[in-house]
Amino acid sequence: MYPNQTTAAALPRRNALKVIAVCAMSPGLAGSLNAYAQASNPFEKTQSTQLFEQWRAMSRVGYGPTPQLVRALQTASSPKVWTVQQIDLAYAASQVAPLMASDLSSLNAPLPDIFDAAQRERQARAAIKAVTADSAGNTNTNELLNNRNNRRMDFSEPADPLYFNRSMVQKAAAWRLGACSQPNDENPLLARMTEFWFNHLNVYSGKGAVRPFIGHYVVNVARAHALGKFEDLLLASARHPAMLYYLDQFQSVADGSPAGQGRLRGLNENYARELMELHTLGVAGGYSQNDVHETARILTGWTVGPNEANGFRFAQRLHDTGRKVLMGQYYPDGSLNSGEREGEQAIRRLARHPKTAARISLRLAQFFVSDSPAPALVSALAQTFQNSQGDIRVVLRALLESNEFWHPENKLFKTPMDFACSALTTVSSTDKLADSTDRRRLILTENYLSEAGQPLHDWQTPDGYKFDAATWLVPEALTRRADFALAITRQVSDLDFLQPYLSATTRAAIAQEKPALRAGLALASPDFQYK
């Protein structure tokens, strides 16, 4: 029997607590938590440096070990050589369309088609509201709609127009979880960098207009530019309907300009503020509120284009044609064209700014090295960023070749997304349930992420999820991980290929338990929580 589809029902909480205690070999949850916090890596000093480096390569450049990845690393001249090779492989993979099951392909449909389908959903819902209003004028539309769709990740039939948006979000989730856990289909480093950039340039599926575009945004912004120039990534994000809707840029117009159905709308600074505070310079980036205001003026007229191939349109009649000054630079001036061109110039300038170089370098170092990376490393990466004009491949090469990346003391605790993808990767490689049409494990994983506090596409604010241990290493998180680990391994007989990467303490603890529990215990162990 396949595990239930909710982790809460999959395992009683007392068993989860027992699992944590067994894995940590410490009495009480407090002692177990301490044991998890102290686990730096799965290797004791007497064990092989080669094994340690293999583990670091598989779990930081990718999401986790598989028998195939283990063999690849064993046959490489060294884990470090293999790791750096992944940069060019990931870039090459990013330049072609991703492998995608046929029933998921509509998430990457032409944008005009997605706009049309979203419009049909609005019309269908409006029609239902009209016929379900009671005598008092109230409607039970939400209840009706929810009751009529209880399928999840089942895309075997064309989506009902009523549920198009929901279907698109679910398809995006299915594809992301598949991409992070199927290294034969998606280059592991590309999957990691896609995750990093989607989080950095976060959009939120809870905002209705954004929902149908989530998957297209992940594939064509985060993935397509994951290892290119940062300014190209930033511009792709700025012009995509998902971002234009999420931060309200689509309705920002010059003060006093006529817009949409005869209404007057004004300047909206949401996107301009987050562009400077989160996407580029950082909160201490040396800009002022007036710079935010001027950036918003520069970007007036940047809006959605439902009939355009890229979903973007520049509306000249909504643009502020007056002179602006952003951080000492005039727009337009003699060297800058007016209109859309000045917005592009402003975004490229922000992307190349030294403060942006420092901010992106710090976040990359925190993502790949440690929660508190050495300032010297961050400074060196920032200099590389500037020298290469924001070439992400060049910066990443410097990072992965650095001594800090390989230093055993530089710990990284897995976020729920890391843990989910690594567990899914490890388990899926051992059986035949990775069939693209069998998504029960993905549903289980999606439920775990929601319960663990990192639901897919559901972080409301533009700062994205945090990925430090202080956020995620808490008792409640450990019990949920144990629940998930045992639920996802119920049909897995063993994970022998994982054994060399577990500490002697963990192996001894697991050996004392029933064979049916051992795979889950391995994933729930302190060793597996670090990357």
Side-chain angles (χ1 to χ4, degrees):
M1 181 177 178
Y2 202 80
N4 294 332
Q5 293 186 349
T6 61
T7 54
L11 186 72
R13 181 52 46 89
R14 63 179 181 278
N15 285 354
L17 295 174
K18 177 186 175 184
V19 168
I20 294 171
V22 167
C23 292
M25 292 294 287
S26 298
L29 189 56
S32 299
L33 181 63
N34 188 49
Y36 275 75
Q38 290 180 348
S40 59
N41 60 65
F43 308 96
E44 298 174 348
K45 291 181 179 178
T46 55
Q47 289 186 288
S48 166
T49 299
Q50 188 84 350
L51 285 175
F52 160 73
E53 292 182 347
Q54 289 175 6
W55 179 266
R56 180 147 296 191
M58 289 186 289
S59 57
R60 292 198 183 184
V61 173
Y63 277 98
T66 69
Q68 294 80 9
L69 281 176
V70 170
R71 284 195 293 273
L73 277 157
Q74 289 173 340
T75 56
S77 57
S78 76
K80 294 180 179 178
V81 169
W82 179 90
T83 294
V84 174
Q85 287 174 341
Q86 299 310 302
I87 297 173
D88 289 336
L89 293 173
Y91 174 74
S94 73
Q95 299 306 294
V96 299
L99 291 176
M100 193 175 294
S102 58
D103 65 335
L104 303 181
S105 62
S106 64
L107 71 86
N108 199 30
L111 283 168
D113 293 350
I114 298 177
F115 275 106
D116 287 345
Q119 173 66 16
R120 287 195 293 275
E121 175 172 320
R122 288 193 292 273
Q123 293 169 344
R125 287 177 177 261
I128 281 192
K129 282 186 178 180
V131 301
T132 57
D134 59 26
S135 57
N138 300 315
T139 65
N140 297 315
T141 309
N142 289 336
E143 181 179 356
L144 176 65
L145 295 179
N146 288 332
N147 288 339
R148 289 179 60 178
N149 182 23
N150 57 11
R151 295 179 302 174
R152 301 180 66 198
M153 292 194 182
D154 177 4
F155 313 117
S156 56
E157 299 177 1
D160 187 317
L162 277 173
Y163 313 120
F164 173 75
N165 288 351
R166 180 182 303 182
S167 172
M168 291 292 272
V169 173
Q170 284 296 298
K171 288 180 180 181
W175 181 76
R176 282 185 67 191
L177 292 177
C180 77
S181 62
Q182 299 293 330
N184 290 333
D185 292 344
E186 182 77 337
N187 176 277
L189 179 57
L190 178 55
R192 273 241 170 251
M193 291 302 293
T194 300
E195 172 67 18
F196 176 81
W197 290 122
F198 179 78
N199 194 61
H200 182 76
L201 301 169
N202 182 57
V203 295
Y204 170 53
S205 65
K207 195 162 187 173
V210 175
R211 303 182 76 190
F213 302 101
I214 288 277
H216 194 279
Y217 181 81
V218 174
V219 171
N220 295 281
V221 175
R223 182 184 186 277
H225 298 278
L227 292 105
K229 286 288 188 72
F230 177 68
E231 60 193 62
D232 294 333
L233 167 70
L234 197 61
L235 276 166
S237 170
R239 289 186 168 116
H240 197 279
M243 184 59 77
L244 290 165
Y245 279 133
Y246 174 51
L247 292 177
D248 305 315
Q249 177 60 41
F250 78 104
Q251 59 183 2
S252 180
V253 302
D255 285 336
S257 296
Q261 301 180 358
R263 293 177 299 173
L264 289 178
R265 292 181 292 185
L267 192 69
N268 190 306
E269 297 180 352
N270 286 353
Y271 176 72
R273 179 172 294 102
E274 306 309 348
L275 172 67
M276 303 179 82
E277 179 177 328
L278 296 173
H279 298 173
T280 59
L281 306 173
V283 68
Y287 63 91
S288 66
Q289 172 54 36
N290 188 62
D291 289 319
V292 172
H293 181 77
E294 293 296 273
T295 302
R297 290 180 62 209
I298 290 169
L299 293 172
T300 48
W302 284 48
T303 188
V304 294
N307 297 318
E308 303 297 331
N310 65 354
F312 170 79
R313 181 172 68 93
F314 176 71
Q316 179 66 46
R317 70 187 183 88
L318 307 178
H319 181 62
D320 186 330
T321 57
R323 201 176 197 200
K324 311 97 178 173
V325 57
L326 169 60
M327 301 181 74
Q329 174 73 53
Y330 284 97
Y331 295 82
D333 67 7
S335 62
L336 297 174
N337 296 322
S338 61
E340 180 186 355
R341 182 66 174 167
E342 67 184 76
E344 180 176 336
Q345 291 288 347
I347 289 176
R348 289 194 185 279
R349 183 170 173 239
L350 289 171
R352 297 169 184 167
H353 197 280
K355 292 289 187 181
T356 300
R359 175 170 167 73
I360 298 300
S361 297
L362 174 61
R363 288 177 65 82
L364 281 169
Q366 290 172 328
F367 191 74
F368 281 101
V369 176
S370 78
D371 294 344
S372 301
L377 171 65
V378 177
S379 178
L381 294 177
Q383 191 60 56
T384 301
F385 186 103
Q386 288 185 261
N387 293 344
S388 65
Q389 296 186 330
D391 190 322
I392 299 164
R393 265 184 299 170
V394 176
V395 177
L396 200 56
R397 187 180 302 277
L399 192 158
L400 298 183
E401 289 179 337
S402 70
N403 292 332
E404 288 84 354
F405 177 80
W406 296 99
H407 199 292
E409 295 303 319
N410 284 327
K411 301 165 57 176
L412 279 177
F413 187 72
K414 291 179 180 178
T415 66
M417 182 68 175
D418 287 332
F419 179 70
C421 290
S422 61
L424 200 59
T425 300
T426 302
V427 170
S428 297
S429 67
T430 64
D431 61 22
K432 300 183 184 304
L433 286 178
D435 184 338
S436 63
T437 62
D438 187 341
R439 302 212 167 90
R440 287 172 290 181
R441 252 185 202 144
L442 301 189
I443 295 170
L444 195 65
T445 305
E446 189 182 36
N447 288 339
Y448 157 71
L449 288 170
S450 295
E451 294 167 0
Q454 198 177 17
L456 287 168
H457 318 127
D458 209 26
W459 185 252
Q460 187 169 354
T461 53
D463 53 347
Y465 288 110
K466 295 183 181 301
F467 37 75
D468 62 318
T471 300
W472 301 111
L473 183 49
V474 294
E476 182 67 14
L478 298 181
T479 61
R480 294 195 186 285
R481 290 182 187 214
D483 279 339
F484 176 64
L486 288 174
I488 204 171
T489 54
R490 284 192 177 180
Q491 289 189 332
V492 177
S493 58
D494 58 61
L495 294 172
D496 286 346
F497 70 95
L498 193 57
Q499 290 295 313
Y501 302 100
L502 301 178
S503 67
T505 303
T506 294
R507 292 199 302 271
I510 291 175
Q512 297 174 14
E513 298 299 317
K514 297 177 181 177
L517 293 176
R518 290 174 185 170
L521 289 171
L523 299 187
S525 69
D527 306 336
F528 198 79
Q529 310 311 310
Y530 287 86
K531 54 184 179 179

